[in-house]
Amino acid sequence: MLKPPIRIGVSACLLGQSVRYDGGHKQLAILQQEIFQSFDLLAICPEVAIGLSVPRKPMHIIVSANEFRAVQIQNPSLDFTDQLKQYALKIASESLHGFICKSRSPSCGYLSTPVHSEVKPELGSGIFAQQLKDYLPRLPMLEDTDLSNNAACRLFIEQVLAYFHAQK
Ligand code: SF4
């Protein structure tokens, strides 16, 4: 029987792709398990997609003129914000039904990313993840760290299925 084309975007490093700034990955075992086998998991690395190398110098989120910006830590004049936002727009048109985000990432983090501000340090979302949510507010999104919680994992899958059926 053909699988229904339910597509979940996943931060590529969680699927074992060695795309992190340090050349490593953060493979998440649960994504290999049966519960996710009926979905089409689409590996997405926004930082590689905008042309950055592996390895690369790390970036972080700062606040500038009241906006979150993703800049290289060593050289803050290198600002990747606009490219990451543009890439999110492209991914928003890829018929995804959910997204699993790498926590704390300046690109992929969803509500867990450290924001460096002179006023007060806080947590926010990575530029790519926030822009994707802005384009598709109802797209189910959660982070790798939430998948260890069975209830959160089940709820996410229910939300993905509901979103898929709502799109048909
Ligand atoms: S967190 Fe996102 S941008 Fe960073 S390596 Fe993983 S997929 Fe790429």
Side-chain angles (χ1 to χ4, degrees):
M1 198 171 77
L2 279 179
K3 287 195 223 172
I6 302 181
R7 303 180 89 197
I8 301 178
V10 183
S11 295
C13 55
L14 298 177
L15 286 171
Q17 294 191 8
S18 298
V19 288
R20 279 168 58 83
Y21 71 94
D22 59 3
H25 62 74
K26 288 282 180 182
Q27 186 166 36
L28 193 59
I30 194 172
L31 296 176
Q32 321 300 320
Q33 292 176 10
E34 201 180 339
I35 190 170
F36 281 103
Q37 292 308 302
S38 52
F39 301 112
D40 182 8
L41 300 181
L42 184 68
I44 292 169
C45 178
E47 294 181 19
V48 168
I50 66 169
L52 300 181
S53 62
V54 181
R56 55 188 172 277
K57 296 199 168 81
M59 62 176 83
H60 66 177
I61 299 283
I62 60 165
V63 179
S64 174
N66 279 329
E67 268 188 49
F68 285 6
R69 309 292 304 181
V71 300
Q72 192 185 87
I73 297 172
Q74 257 186 12
N75 178 2
S77 69
L78 288 176
D79 184 326
F80 306 104
T81 311
D82 295 341
Q83 291 156 278
L84 289 167
K85 285 185 175 180
Q86 271 304 113
Y87 183 63
L89 177 58
K90 178 175 181 297
I91 291 301
S93 66
E94 294 270 334
S95 303
L96 295 180
H97 304 105
F99 203 100
I100 298 171
C101 304
K102 171 69 186 75
S103 55
R104 298 180 63 83
S105 157
S107 301
C108 295
Y110 181 55
L111 305 175
S112 67
T113 302
V115 175
H116 300 269
S117 152
E118 282 170 11
V119 184
K120 87 175 159 58
E122 56 180 311
L123 296 178
S125 293
I127 299 295
F128 168 83
Q130 185 60 56
Q131 197 67 15
L132 188 61
K133 195 66 178 170
D134 288 349
Y135 287 133
L136 300 173
R138 300 181 58 173
L139 182 75
M141 289 173 73
L142 94 173
E143 293 195 314
D144 53 341
T145 46
D146 299 321
L147 288 176
S148 56
N149 176 324
N150 283 342
C153 186
R154 271 201 310 275
L155 178 63
F156 174 68
I157 288 175
E158 283 169 19
Q159 290 171 339
V160 166
L161 293 173
Y163 188 83
F164 169 72
H165 290 297
Q167 305 298 305
K168 285 202 292 186

